[in-house]
Amino acid sequence: MPESAVCERDDALLAELDDADRREFTALAARQTQATWRLFQTYALSGIRAADQAAMQRLGAHYALDADPDTRAGEFTGPALVLTGRQDHVVGYQDQLDLVRAWYPHATYAALDGAGHNVHLDRPEVCHALLRQWATDLPR
């Protein structure tokens, strides 16, 4: 995994947030800006607060995939999109490329610089463009 990295930081915004919000936001955001905060607050924070912590711990115990992508039977031959953040210190971005090579022969893979674990919040415009293209490819 890459080290946790902040690509852009708005210290005035972070000073305005209460401690709990700041802690949740800065734990994953590679871009700590007003725009990213609004997206995080709208789309992520309520789920984080409502999450069943016992269930999260059980899921966390089995979070990793098999270390050898070649052990999976078969491959997915439809269009696929794998978006990763280059600064994602939770799951990284490099292992996903191995998975794409082994299982998804028609996948588009992107490791977006300036994005962490919440790649869709850190780089929404690029994610939207790639998702639109993936959706266009679905009928084939």
Side-chain angles (χ1 to χ4, degrees):
M1 296 324 146
E3 295 292 322
S4 178
V6 176
C7 302
E8 192 174 355
R9 180 183 173 114
D10 180 339
D11 289 322
L13 163 70
L14 297 178
E16 293 173 7
L17 300 179
D18 69 41
D19 290 342
D21 286 353
R22 183 175 43 258
R23 189 173 36 258
E24 294 292 352
F25 179 53
T26 60
L28 297 175
R31 293 182 182 273
Q32 298 171 0
T33 66
Q34 188 68 245
T36 307
W37 163 247
R38 281 193 302 272
L39 292 171
F40 181 82
Q41 186 179 34
T42 301
Y43 298 110
L45 192 57
S46 61
I48 290 168
R49 288 184 176 149
D52 179 333
Q53 293 304 311
M56 298 297 288
Q57 287 179 345
R58 288 192 306 274
L59 288 171
H62 304 285
Y63 196 60
L65 294 174
D66 188 345
D68 183 3
D70 294 327
T71 61
R72 180 178 163 156
E75 62 184 26
F76 178 75
T77 59
L81 174 62
V82 178
L83 294 175
T84 64
R86 201 151 171 90
Q87 285 74 34
D88 184 346
H89 65 285
V90 178
V91 298
Y93 67 93
Q94 294 174 329
D95 290 343
Q96 284 69 10
L97 183 55
D98 292 337
L99 297 176
V100 165
R101 287 180 180 143
W103 300 344
Y104 303 97
H106 300 288
T108 297
Y109 168 85
L112 303 181
D113 192 39
H117 189 66
N118 289 331
V119 62
H120 61 297
L121 303 179
D122 284 330
R123 300 291 307 275
E125 297 85 7
V126 178
C127 289
H128 291 167
L130 289 167
L131 283 166
R132 275 192 298 276
Q133 184 60 53
W134 172 78
T136 300
D137 290 344
L138 284 177
R140 70 175 170 130

